[in-house]
């Protein structure tokens, strides 16, 4: 075949798909987001026609012209018009889908462009919500094109829509994600952080049992397979327990996990690891391993798990590495952790109310579906240090735990993330790094592990499913008198993020409203199912769905406008927060902008912008509010270093990670603003444990609030040093280049708000919900980069709409994940989503850099209740479970209609 104009001599292996063949030939712009033709990340042109190369046999491309994203660029200086358009509209975030999007778009006819929902039905983007992609294709730039020349943007100011510095690499397929450096050695790679030789491949044999004891493992047949280098089992595992969840304080999570455990607690848990010369060999060897299991009784839902006499998943109490009892003593009733609080007297509050509303709400298990799956490549460098190149949000926390588990000094391990293809909290876990470290230490050779999409569903983490009972009482004028929450979260087989998610779930959902009488009871429960973990919103979306739905119902019961009800009861600027514990919270509420947000959304809905409803469909509007504390309460540190460069520019070394959240762009702006240079003159290097001081990492929406503050402080310190040097009469040409460090301890917390509004139409005959208008107003403080913030909000709303309307990881009664491929899961494509109008309240945060508040997670949280409230307004039916799939809506509406008919006949 001819690839990008060059003839290829190699023959593909029997059965090899075009995607893997092209990647092996070095065309790593061809990405892998699935294995089944569902995501479009692998799109290439075959004789000018776009194909999903993962579905196309490489042998059938013989004699044909193949074009990848690398071949789309006409020459070194001129991008393809579609690449230009994606840059101008910033039609990407993490960039993992972008090459496929561009390849599909570049082949569209005018007629196809006129029907984008159909034209892009084979391409998934998990980050953007498609707003900027649609703009790119429709030729609507979001940034000034003359600011995005190859050398980077030239607009250096806070509040400017500076484009992402990685943009040119993203749209040309040059951006290197972890797996992209795996096929070659450092000598052959342009990337200095590549392994010294092409890596071996690791595959995992996984448990078919929900709960079992491994009696024996026989790997003799597997080891006899030529090309198999090692088989690792529980006998090879370090004895140190850990949590896959990574937090600033490791004791935040129970120590309940081993690299390879002799007890398996969910279908899909690691049983053995095979290291071999190729992926195919490693998979074949997994099939040759004989494992004898002693099956144990399993519990696959929280009610069974908490029943008297239920089998215990973790009968031994968790202890910290110091030998202290963990705060999460597993045992009784499989309860991983529980929280009970009461301030005032909730029952008295309900007794004093003119109306009380109580209902139980249920949220489902959903998956992050970051388009890049978890991937790690490990090796020993020339000095013998262990290097892990990995797709993580938390490089320093990975390094620290790998060191503890394997007994290594911190200076003997380096963790590098570089570009990460989406995270959403799912990469705040150690799911691949530990087993790769074990394999490298055992074999002495570079080793790569790339999870498949099926493994992401069956063995990575999900959002915690929750059952939330809300009881609210209020007087006739709409004043809340009592608020009670009872929450049960299913944390799955391990307690990673179980305590943190539970804590967060009952925090801002409760503190957002003033009420003297509050009561909370909550528990996270172990079950023999795939573990839950961190996911954008961190538990809050589940409880906000319940509370904001209940607020809506209570307001209706009192004949009070739901928005007015919220205005009356929402926390006001300067008021103290109360989470029901009776303890004062160290969180500033001075900058609250929620009332502005409510005004903006109400006005937008009243203006009736958006689509017209189809004839005969019921229509309605709904709003919901969510609050977010700006920094996690458990501690979060940021450290940055800013240095002069010999070329007169500046380098910023930041510990936080870039995974499409835009931090590298904003850090560039922060440094430029402080040092008075152009943003293009600041190069940002992130996520490398060798290049900056310890940083807790990119979670909890801290990339700007904490890491950005550290960067501003480093830049200020450097500015002072430069001024001092100038005062002494010297300059950079006279001597050594200056650098300075900045630190943020993450203790100054405030709150941010998001308010979502929807206008929907609902078809009773089919159950379809069509979003006619979507608007979100955000209390984001100073808007550092309007285009990036808009993109974050659009993406958050889109991801939340997917979870509200379609997405569900289905687990059967035996504990087996049934949803194993993307097409069964229904990540929204462009056709599924409305445009979301994004509005900014006018606020300034007292602590964030230049007054900015975080806005990575917050846009997700109010979406599901706003949608449910709009559907309630349209249909009169309160839906209390997610997702609001067509079949559910249809059967519910039909049942209600039948009941109404029966009642009218009786009358
Ligand atoms: Fe080919 Fe997903 S990797 S469609
Ligand atoms: Fe599309 Fe991340 S930018 S998947």
């Amino acid at each position: 075949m001819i690839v990008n104009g060059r003839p290829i001599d190699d023959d593909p292996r029997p059965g090899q798909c075009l995607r893997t063949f092209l990647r092996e030939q070095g065309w790593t712009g061809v990405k892998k987001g699935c294995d089944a033709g569902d995501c479009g990340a692998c799109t290439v042109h075959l004789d000018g026609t776009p194909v999903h190369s993962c579905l196309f046999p490489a042998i059938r491309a013989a004699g044909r012209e193949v074009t990848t994203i690398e071949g789309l660029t006409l020459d070194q200086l001129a991008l393809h018009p579609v690449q230009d358009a994606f840059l101008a509209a910033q039609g990407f975030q993490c960039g993992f889908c972008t090459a496929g999007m561009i390849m599909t778009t570049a082949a569209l006819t005018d007629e196809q462009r006129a029907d984008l929902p159909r034209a892009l039905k084979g391409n998934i983007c998990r980050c953007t919500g498609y707003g900027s992609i649609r703009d790119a294709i429709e030729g609507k730039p979001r940034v000034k094109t003359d600011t995005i020349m190859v050398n980077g943007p030239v607009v250096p100011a806070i509040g400017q829509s500076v484009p992402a510095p990685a943009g040119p690499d993203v749209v040309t397929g040059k951006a290197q994600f972890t797996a992209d450096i795996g096929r070659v050695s450092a000598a052959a790679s342009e990337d200095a952080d590549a392994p010294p030789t092409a890596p071996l491949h690791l595959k995992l044999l996984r448990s078919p049992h929900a709960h079992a004891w491994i009696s024996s493992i026989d790997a003799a047949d597997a080891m006899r397979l030529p090309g198999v280098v090692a088989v690792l089992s529980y006998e090879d595992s370090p004895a140190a327990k850990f949590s896959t969840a990574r937090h600033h304080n490791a004791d935040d999570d129970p120590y309940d996990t081993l690299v390879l455990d002799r007890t398996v607690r969910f279908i899909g848990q690691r049983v053995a690891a095979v290291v071999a010369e190729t992926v195919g060999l490693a998979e074949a060897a997994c099939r040759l391993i004989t494992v004898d299991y002693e099956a144990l009784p399993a519990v696959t839902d929280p009610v069974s798990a908490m029943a008297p006499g239920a089998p215990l998943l973790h009968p031994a109490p968790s202890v910290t590495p110091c030998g202290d009892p963990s705060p999460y003593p597993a045992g009784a009733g499989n309860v991983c952790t529980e929280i009970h609080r009461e301030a005032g007297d909730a029952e008295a509050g309900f007794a004093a109310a003119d109306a009380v509303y109580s209902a139980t709400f249920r949220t489902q298990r959903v998956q992050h579906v970051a388009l890049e799956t978890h991937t790690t490549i490990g090796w020993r460098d020339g000095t013998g240090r262990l290097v892990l190149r990995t797709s993580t949000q938390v490089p320093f926390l990975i390094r620290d735990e790998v060191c503890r588990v394997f007994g290594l000094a911190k200076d003997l391990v380096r963790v590098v993330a570089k570009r990460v293809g989406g995270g959403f909290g799912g990469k705040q876990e150690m799911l691949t790094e530990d087993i790769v470290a074990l394999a490298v230490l055992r074999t002495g050779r570079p080793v790569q592990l790339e999870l498949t999409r099926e493994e992401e569903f069956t063995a990575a983490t999900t959002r915690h499913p929750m059952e939330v009972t809300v009881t609210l009482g209020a007087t006739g004028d709409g004043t809340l008198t009592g608020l009670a929450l009872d929450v049960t979260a299913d944390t799955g087989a391990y307690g990673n993020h179980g305590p943190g998610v539970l804590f967060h779930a009952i925090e801002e959902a409760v503190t957002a409203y003033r009420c003297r009488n509050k009561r909370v009871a909550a528990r996270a429960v172990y079950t023999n199912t795939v573990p839950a973990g961190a996911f954008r919103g961190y538990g809050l979306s589940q409880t906000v769905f319940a509370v904001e739905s209940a607020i809506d119902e209570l307001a209706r019961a009192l004949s009070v406008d739901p928005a007015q009800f919220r205005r009356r009861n929402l926390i006001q600027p300067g008021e103290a927060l109360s989470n029901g514990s009776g303890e004062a919270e160290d969180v500033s509420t001075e900058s609250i902008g929620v009332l502005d947000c409510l005004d903006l959304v109400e006005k937008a809905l009243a203006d009736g912008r958006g689509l017209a409803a189809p004839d005969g469909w019921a229509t309605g509007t709904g709003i919901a509010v969510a609050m977010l504390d700006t920094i996690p309460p458990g501690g979060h540190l940021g450290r940055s270093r800013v240095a002069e460069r010999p070329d007169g520019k500046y380098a910023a070394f930041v510990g936080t990670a870039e995974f499409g959240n835009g931090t590298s762009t904003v850090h560039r702006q922060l440094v430029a603003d402080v040092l008075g240079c152009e943003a293009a003159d600041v190069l940002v290097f992130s996520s490398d444990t060798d290049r900056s001081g310890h940083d807790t990492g990119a979670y909890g929406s801290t990339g700007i609030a904490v890491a950005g503050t550290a960067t501003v402080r480093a830049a200020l310190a450097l500015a002072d040093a430069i001024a001092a040097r100038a005062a002494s009469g010297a300059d950079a040409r006279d001597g050594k280049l200056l650098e300075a460090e900045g630190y943020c301890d993450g203790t100054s917390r405030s709150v941010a708000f998001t308010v979502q509004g929807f206008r929907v139409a609902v078809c009773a005959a089919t159950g379809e919900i069509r979003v006619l208008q979507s608007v979100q107003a955000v209390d984001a403080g100073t808007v550092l980069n309007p285009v990036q913030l808009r993109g974050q909000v659009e993406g958050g709303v889109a991801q939340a709409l997917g979870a509200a309307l379609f997405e569900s990881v289905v687990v059967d009664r035996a504990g087996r994940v049934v949803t194993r491929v993307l097409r069964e899961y229904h990540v929204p494509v462009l056709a599924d989503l409305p445009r979301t109008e994004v509005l900014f309240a006018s606020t300034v945060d007292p602590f964030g850099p230049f007054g900015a508040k975080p806005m990575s997670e917050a846009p997700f949280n109010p979406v599901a209740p706003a949608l449910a409230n709009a559907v309630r307004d349209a249909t009169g039916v309160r839906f209390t479970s997610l997702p609001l799939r067509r079949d559910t809506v249809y059967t519910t509406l039909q049942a209600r209609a039948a009941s109404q008919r029966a009642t009218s006949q009786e009358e």
Side-chain angles (χ1 to χ4, degrees):
M1 68 185 82
I2 308 289
V3 180
N4 298 328
R6 293 189 213 159
I8 302 291
D9 289 337
D10 282 3
D11 287 330
R13 294 186 299 278
Q16 186 171 24
C17 71
L18 183 58
R19 179 192 66 197
T20 56
F21 181 74
L22 290 170
R23 285 182 59 82
E24 285 172 11
Q25 297 296 320
W27 306 109
T28 52
V30 185
K31 296 291 187 245
K32 170 188 175 179
C34 69
D35 308 281
D38 293 331
C39 75
C42 64
T43 304
V44 300
H45 293 176
L46 195 64
D47 292 334
T49 301
V51 297
H52 287 183
S53 60
C54 67
L55 292 182
F56 198 85
I59 195 71
R60 283 180 50 203
R64 302 175 72 176
E65 293 259 4
V66 178
T67 308
T68 72
I69 187 77
E70 292 95 336
L72 203 61
T73 306
L74 303 177
D75 57 50
Q76 291 297 317
L77 297 175
L79 298 181
H80 187 280
V82 174
Q83 291 170 316
D84 266 332
F86 269 70
L87 268 182
Q90 296 285 281
F92 55 85
Q93 285 177 19
C94 80
F96 201 82
C97 71
T98 310
M101 286 283 179
I102 288 175
M103 294 308 289
T104 299
T105 305
L108 295 180
T109 62
D110 288 346
E111 194 181 338
Q112 289 168 325
R113 276 171 184 260
D115 187 2
L116 282 187
R118 179 176 292 274
L120 288 188
K121 68 186 192 316
N123 288 77
I124 288 174
C125 175
R126 192 54 157 168
C127 300
T128 61
Y130 304 98
S132 58
I133 291 173
R134 190 190 281 268
D135 281 353
I137 300 171
E138 293 176 350
K140 298 175 185 164
R142 291 189 173 195
V143 295
K144 289 186 186 143
T145 48
D146 59 0
T147 68
I148 47 174
M149 302 305 289
V150 174
N151 287 333
V154 296
V155 180
I158 296 303
Q160 298 291 331
S161 290
V162 170
D169 282 350
V170 167
V171 302
T172 53
K174 289 186 191 142
Q176 296 265 288
F177 297 83
T178 299
D180 297 336
I181 56 125
R183 74 195 164 79
V184 288
S185 66
S189 173
E190 290 177 11
D191 192 320
D193 298 314
T197 56
L200 300 169
H201 293 271
L202 190 154
K203 294 301 280 187
L204 290 156
L205 178 68
R206 296 185 177 277
S207 170
H209 296 283
H211 201 187
W213 165 260
I214 299 172
S215 307
S216 65
I217 294 183
D218 182 352
D221 288 348
M223 282 303 295
R224 274 194 282 275
L225 204 61
V228 172
V229 177
V231 178
L232 306 167
S233 72
Y234 64 86
E235 292 178 337
D236 304 284
S237 177
K241 287 191 172 180
F242 61 96
S243 173
T244 61
R246 300 286 77 233
H247 276 116
H248 169 70
N249 178 3
D251 292 350
D252 280 357
D253 302 275
Y255 293 83
D256 57 12
T257 303
L258 288 165
V259 175
L260 289 161
D261 200 331
R262 195 164 185 182
T263 301
V264 287
R265 297 179 176 85
F266 69 98
I267 294 171
Q269 182 174 322
R270 299 170 184 173
V271 170
V274 174
V275 185
E277 296 288 348
T278 67
V279 172
L281 273 172
E283 287 173 342
C286 281
R287 292 192 287 272
L288 294 175
I289 298 172
T290 304
V291 185
D292 285 331
Y293 297 95
E294 182 184 318
L296 300 171
V299 283
T300 56
D301 66 85
V303 173
S304 314
M306 289 190 289
L312 297 180
L313 273 77
H314 299 276
S318 170
V319 291
T320 69
C322 305
D324 297 334
S326 156
Y328 313 112
N334 285 308
V335 173
C336 169
T337 187
E338 58 188 321
I339 302 168
H340 297 275
R341 297 171 177 164
E342 180 151 13
D345 182 340
E347 291 308 319
F350 301 137
D354 292 315
V356 174
Y357 176 79
S358 185
T360 298
F361 296 81
R362 293 178 182 82
T363 61
Q364 79 282 32
R365 209 180 280 273
V366 288
Q367 228 279 334
H368 314 75
V369 192
L371 218 51
E372 178 203 34
T373 61
H374 290 81
T375 304
T376 299
I377 303 174
W379 65 90
R380 282 191 184 275
D381 69 12
T383 65
R385 297 171 82 215
L386 175 65
V387 182
L388 296 172
R389 173 90 179 246
T390 185
S391 54
T392 183
Q393 298 171 223
V394 285
F396 288 88
L397 304 188
I398 293 289
R399 179 201 59 185
D400 291 357
E401 202 62 353
V402 165
C403 289
R404 190 184 69 75
V405 169
F406 291 93
L408 300 169
K410 285 188 186 176
D411 60 354
L412 293 180
V413 178
R414 176 184 176 209
V415 176
V416 190
K418 293 208 170 171
R419 195 146 193 98
V420 177
F424 315 116
K427 291 173 180 169
Q428 195 194 337
E429 308 269 355
M430 188 162 72
L431 297 180
T432 48
E433 295 88 351
D434 58 320
I435 191 75
V436 168
L438 177 61
V440 172
L441 295 174
R442 283 302 168 94
T443 64
R445 294 176 58 183
V447 175
Q448 172 172 347
L449 170 60
E450 181 180 12
L451 293 192
T452 63
R453 182 57 59 192
E454 180 171 328
E455 286 179 302
E456 291 285 327
F457 281 119
T458 58
T461 57
T462 69
R463 189 179 290 282
H464 286 71
M466 287 191 194
E467 184 175 286
V468 183
T469 299
V470 192
T471 307
L472 298 176
T475 52
D477 63 354
T479 303
L480 272 176
T481 56
L483 187 164
L485 273 192
D486 186 282
V487 180
T488 299
D490 184 346
T491 195
Y494 292 91
N496 47 302
H497 294 287
V501 163
L502 193 71
F503 173 86
H504 196 234
I506 59 164
E507 189 67 15
E508 288 99 310
V510 173
T511 53
Y513 288 98
R514 288 176 284 153
C515 181
R516 285 196 189 152
N517 306 302
K518 293 180 177 176
R519 184 179 64 220
V520 173
R523 61 212 63 81
V525 182
Y526 286 120
T527 61
N528 292 109
T529 59
V530 61
F535 195 152
R536 194 178 206 165
Y538 210 57
L540 203 50
S541 71
Q542 297 95 310
T543 47
V544 166
F545 169 61
V547 170
E548 288 296 302
S549 296
I551 292 268
D552 200 74
E553 284 299 323
L554 184 59
R556 287 170 180 277
L558 292 165
S559 300
V560 176
D561 174 73
Q564 287 303 349
F565 187 97
R566 290 181 172 88
R567 283 193 179 88
R568 176 176 281 274
N569 292 289
L570 278 163
I571 194 81
Q572 300 294 310
E575 286 185 342
L577 299 178
S578 160
N579 63 11
S581 67
E583 293 174 12
E585 294 204 63
D586 188 16
V587 179
S588 167
T589 58
E590 294 297 335
S591 64
I592 285 175
V594 65
L595 298 184
D596 275 4
C597 292
L598 273 168
D599 291 346
L600 289 167
V601 168
E602 279 206 299
K603 182 168 184 319
L605 289 177
D607 287 350
R609 304 191 277 267
L611 305 172
D615 285 346
W617 293 35
T619 61
T621 58
I623 59 168
V625 171
M627 187 176 98
L628 187 88
D629 291 346
T630 55
I631 295 175
H636 205 105
L637 307 181
R639 281 194 182 82
S640 300
R641 183 164 60 89
V642 179
E644 290 182 311
R645 286 168 52 95
D647 58 5
K649 299 184 178 183
Y650 299 96
F653 300 94
V654 302
T656 193
E658 166 71 63
F659 53 98
N661 48 357
T663 48
S664 51
T665 313
V666 171
H667 282 240
R668 198 177 216 202
Q669 290 176 263
L670 296 174
V671 174
D673 204 273
V674 172
L675 292 172
C677 65
E678 296 187 343
D681 290 338
V682 182
L683 305 181
V684 176
F685 302 91
S686 60
S687 334
D688 183 340
T689 57
D690 269 8
R691 297 186 102 167
S692 71
H694 182 100
D695 184 290
T696 304
Y699 68 88
S701 302
T702 51
I704 290 172
V706 177
T709 299
T711 296
V712 168
R713 289 175 181 167
L716 286 168
L718 179 61
D720 287 347
I722 291 171
R725 182 178 61 195
S728 73
D731 69 22
R733 286 164 299 183
D734 295 334
K736 89 178 179 43
L737 300 169
L738 298 174
E739 65 174 48
E741 289 191 347
Y743 171 65
C744 176
D745 67 2
T747 54
S748 300
R749 306 166 67 213
S750 66
V751 293
F753 276 90
T754 44
V755 177
Q756 175 70 39
F758 284 117
R759 174 185 307 283
V760 302
V762 184
C763 177
T766 63
E768 180 181 348
I769 298 169
R770 191 170 298 175
V771 177
L772 306 176
Q773 185 183 2
S774 169
V775 55
Q776 185 166 120
V778 299
D779 164 24
T782 302
V783 178
L784 299 177
N785 186 321
V787 161
Q788 288 224 336
L789 178 56
R790 181 178 164 197
Q792 281 294 314
V793 178
E794 289 172 336
V797 173
Q799 196 172 42
L801 266 175
L805 285 169
F806 319 116
E807 298 177 31
S808 181
V809 177
V810 178
V811 177
D812 68 16
R813 283 168 176 255
R816 182 182 310 276
V817 173
V818 176
T819 317
R820 291 177 170 244
V821 293
L822 284 175
R823 81 187 57 162
E824 292 169 353
Y825 182 69
H826 195 161
V827 171
V829 291
L830 185 139
D832 295 316
L833 294 171
R835 273 195 182 273
T836 290
E837 185 180 1
V838 180
L839 304 168
F840 305 136
S842 182
T843 57
V844 177
D845 189 75
F847 308 121
F850 295 94
K853 299 184 183 187
M855 206 42 67
S856 300
E857 300 179 86
F860 190 103
N861 297 330
V863 170
L867 187 76
N869 292 342
V871 171
R872 163 69 168 87
D873 193 45
T875 65
V877 175
R878 169 60 58 191
F879 286 87
T880 56
S881 296
L882 297 176
L884 304 180
R885 294 173 72 121
R886 264 192 205 194
D887 50 354
T888 307
V889 174
Y890 170 78
T891 51
T892 305
L893 295 183
Q894 293 298 318
R896 195 212 28 185
S899 154
Q900 285 173 336
R901 278 195 301 272
T903 305
S904 66
Q905 279 168 5
E906 279 172 22
E907 288 169 357

